[in-house]
Amino acid sequence: LIEKCLKQLVKKGLFGRPYVKDYLYGLKRRNCRPNTIRSTSGALLLFLSFLKERGRTYLETITREDVSSFIEHEQDRGMQPNTVSTRLRLVYAFLRYLVDREVVHPDLLKRKLRVKVPEALPRAMDPEDIQQLLALIEKPRDRAMILILLRTGMRIGELLATRMSEVNLREKQILIREAQKTRVGRVAYLSEDACKALVVWLNQRDLTKERLFYGQGRPCLSYTAIRMRFAKYLEAASLAHKGYSLHCLRHTCATELLNAGMRLECLQQLLGHSSIEMTRRYARLTDNT
């Protein structure tokens, strides 16, 4: 992944290759996820390409105005605020690295530029819509997956990565050895209806498969496949117009637990959030609560 990025730097005739190489391999040494390295590589390629278009030839010549113009350039390309904000954050992290090595002036990091990102309320499914959706799902695998996501608040990636050895039906638990985002392990607790659906699926699944859920002729199931299945069920339940996504199941779980009286600190642990502020905005409180 890193070498691919470095080849792109050479192909486009961009400067700063030694520093980019050292920075990306530094991320690898820190055990950052491939997605983090991929996002960083993409942001740096865009930023350095932009600098080349502005006539810059050395990293030492980067100015605050260059960073500001890069933001405007991305906005003019039609990028969403969240995308621009993420790329800006990744560029600033690289600039911090350059400041530490005395390549660029520390003033670059003073009064950092920010992109205001809209904070939409998380979307939780209405109870009536949940019942309407579940009434249509008869396929054992799909019903088990949807109910587990709905009752445990697991991330989709965490469920798809679950192995049979991590499922404990006796204790009604699923062990998440490493959370998808925070890389911190936790336990997901299954409800009665999720357990019943899971038992039905376990009685039908291929015992030779390592993963709890797998695709047709494949050892694991892709996110795209389950997203498409979920969309079909929403359409069949006449709920497609409401804009629900798979991630709404996690929001729904958080909302229901909080409105049932669960403490925010407990919910934070169950969802695997590193910050309680994330948990606070994750769930939608009822007026009474």
Side-chain angles (χ1 to χ4, degrees):
L1 185 62
I2 294 174
E3 291 302 320
K4 183 179 179 180
C5 173
L6 297 176
K7 288 179 181 178
Q8 286 292 316
L9 284 173
V10 174
K11 182 179 179 180
K12 295 183 178 183
L14 304 179
F15 54 86
R17 184 180 183 278
Y19 292 106
V20 173
K21 179 180 179 180
D22 185 55
Y23 181 68
L24 293 179
Y25 273 107
L27 294 180
K28 182 185 177 186
R29 287 191 293 272
R30 285 160 50 197
N31 200 30
C32 290
R33 287 189 177 278
N35 280 345
T36 300
I37 297 176
R38 183 178 293 106
S39 299
T40 301
S41 301
L44 294 184
L45 282 171
L46 287 171
F47 183 58
L48 294 174
S49 297
F50 172 75
L51 292 177
K52 181 183 177 182
E53 291 176 5
R54 284 177 63 86
R56 303 296 185 196
T57 54
Y58 301 99
L59 289 174
E60 291 82 354
T61 61
I62 298 175
T63 65
R64 182 182 174 86
E65 184 184 349
D66 291 327
V67 179
S68 177
S69 297
F70 175 67
I71 296 173
E72 294 177 8
H73 178 263
E74 291 299 288
Q75 290 171 333
D76 290 342
R77 291 175 57 219
M79 297 295 103
Q80 294 296 320
N82 192 52
T83 301
V84 178
S85 178
T86 299
R87 287 175 180 170
L88 179 61
R89 177 176 53 81
L90 295 173
V91 166
Y92 266 127
F94 179 62
L95 293 178
R96 164 59 67 186
Y97 159 85
L98 295 178
V99 167
D100 291 343
R101 280 151 184 76
E102 300 181 348
V103 177
V104 298
H105 199 279
D107 285 349
L108 264 179
L109 299 180
K110 288 184 178 179
R111 299 186 303 278
K112 289 182 180 179
L113 300 170
R114 292 285 186 267
V115 176
K116 189 171 181 60
V117 178
E119 290 192 16
L121 284 174
R123 190 78 189 276
M125 295 183 68
D126 294 328
E128 299 80 9
D129 292 343
I130 294 173
Q131 295 304 319
Q132 195 170 329
L133 176 67
L134 293 177
L136 289 170
I137 306 177
E138 296 180 354
K139 190 174 181 180
R141 185 197 67 179
D142 295 349
R143 185 171 183 83
M145 291 185 70
I146 298 302
L147 273 170
I148 290 174
L149 290 172
L150 180 64
R151 304 306 189 201
T152 66
M154 291 176 69
R155 297 180 179 92
I156 297 97
E158 293 168 346
L159 181 61
L160 296 179
T162 299
R163 291 171 166 77
M164 275 303 302
S165 58
E166 296 163 344
V167 179
N168 187 335
L169 269 180
R170 182 182 300 175
E171 299 294 332
K172 300 180 181 178
Q173 296 177 353
I174 293 179
L175 176 63
I176 304 172
R177 298 188 181 276
E178 184 178 297
Q180 192 177 28
K181 288 189 175 181
T182 62
R183 311 200 81 164
V184 177
R186 72 182 193 279
V187 174
Y189 298 92
L190 298 167
S191 61
E192 283 294 336
D193 57 352
C195 274
K196 289 178 180 178
L198 185 54
V199 168
V200 174
W201 164 240
L202 292 179
N203 289 333
Q204 295 186 9
R205 69 181 298 279
D206 186 345
L207 298 179
T208 64
K209 303 292 186 181
E210 182 183 12
R211 298 289 178 91
L212 175 59
F213 297 105
Y214 51 87
Q216 190 71 29
R218 295 193 303 270
C220 58
L221 192 63
S222 68
Y223 170 75
T224 302
I226 182 176
R227 180 177 59 82
M228 291 177 64
R229 294 292 297 173
F230 186 68
K232 287 182 179 179
Y233 285 124
L234 286 175
E235 188 173 352
S238 301
L239 298 173
H241 65 285
K242 293 201 172 185
Y244 292 137
S245 68
L246 268 173
H247 204 62
C248 290
L249 298 174
R250 180 167 159 87
H251 289 301
T252 304
C253 175
T255 296
E256 290 185 346
L257 289 175
L258 203 56
N259 285 318
M262 176 173 281
R263 288 175 57 86
L264 201 61
E265 296 86 352
C266 297
L267 182 59
Q268 178 189 359
Q269 298 300 318
L270 283 179
L271 296 179
H273 286 154
S274 57
S275 166
I276 200 166
E277 291 302 321
M278 175 61 73
T279 313
R280 193 187 308 279
R281 68 172 296 274
Y282 215 81
R284 185 185 66 190
L285 291 170
T286 62
D287 291 340
N288 288 338
T289 304

